[in-house]
Amino acid sequence: MDIKKIVRKLVKKHGCLDPFKLAAALDVTILYKPLGNTLGFFVRYKRQKVIVLNESCPESLLPFVMAHELGHAVLHPKVNTPFLKGHTLFSVDKIEREANTFAVELLLPDELLINQECCISSVARCQGIPDGMELLKIYSERK
């Protein structure tokens, strides 16, 4: 699966990098609910794609969480990862890595990195992408 190509095609078709605007263009419903330690999740209900975001999610993480969940909606529309995690021995690591890759490709396109005079982690943080250690902390707290 060429995630970079999928993201580029979406961005070209809809003319934006904003995961919230892309979700609207793709007819994905966004809901905000109290989710405890869960930052967000994607579910498909009666053929309707829905992203549920934690209403307490820090503003700085919201773009990444939204882009990650949009990655599930685009790349894995029929996969129920909460069910797989809770009721099977199926590893969802690959699915989660693909959603993270989608989020980074969307929020940090190659064009943004060309001619940058600061380090990539600074640019990434400005685009709402948590650094690797912060990302590991986020996901370890979710379990």
Side-chain angles (χ1 to χ4, degrees), residues 62-73:
L62 213 47
F64 182 81
V65 174
M66 181 60 195
H68 173 94
E69 299 308 334
L70 186 61
H72 285 302

Side-chain angles (χ1 to χ4, degrees), residues 5-26:
K5 188 181 281 187
I6 292 168
V7 170
R8 283 186 175 176
K9 187 176 177 182
L10 268 176
V11 169
K12 185 176 180 180
K13 180 177 181 180
H14 298 288
C16 73
L17 296 169
D18 184 322
F20 292 91
K21 290 178 182 176
L22 279 175
L26 296 171

Side-chain angles (χ1 to χ4, degrees), residues 63-127:
F64 182 81
V65 174
M66 181 60 195
H68 173 94
E69 299 308 334
L70 186 61
H72 285 302
V74 171
L75 304 173
H76 319 115
K78 295 182 181 178
V79 176
N80 185 339
T81 53
F83 176 81
L84 291 175
K85 282 181 194 174
H87 302 330
T88 72
L89 298 175
F90 184 83
S91 173
V92 296
D93 291 347
K94 179 181 177 191
I95 293 167
E96 293 300 326
R97 263 193 321 275
E98 288 175 350
N100 282 340
T101 300
F102 181 96
V104 171
E105 291 294 344
L106 180 62
L107 297 172
L108 197 62
D110 293 344
E111 298 77 23
L112 192 62
L113 298 175
I114 295 172
N115 299 324
Q116 288 295 328
E117 299 207 4
C118 57
C119 66
I120 191 169
S121 60
S122 296
V123 176
R125 247 183 272 112
C126 289
Q127 293 301 110

Side-chain angles (χ1 to χ4, degrees), residues 19-20 23-24 27-36 38-45 48-57 62 65-66 69-70 73:
F20 292 91
D27 201 29
V28 177
T29 302
I30 303 168
L31 302 175
Y32 294 86
K33 299 287 181 186
L35 299 176
T38 301
L39 294 172
F41 63 90
F42 166 74
V43 66
R44 188 174 160 158
Y45 180 71
Q48 175 62 44
K49 294 178 180 182
V50 180
I51 291 174
V52 182
L53 298 172
N54 191 330
E55 62 188 17
S56 300
C57 181
L62 213 47
V65 174
M66 181 60 195
E69 299 308 334
L70 186 61

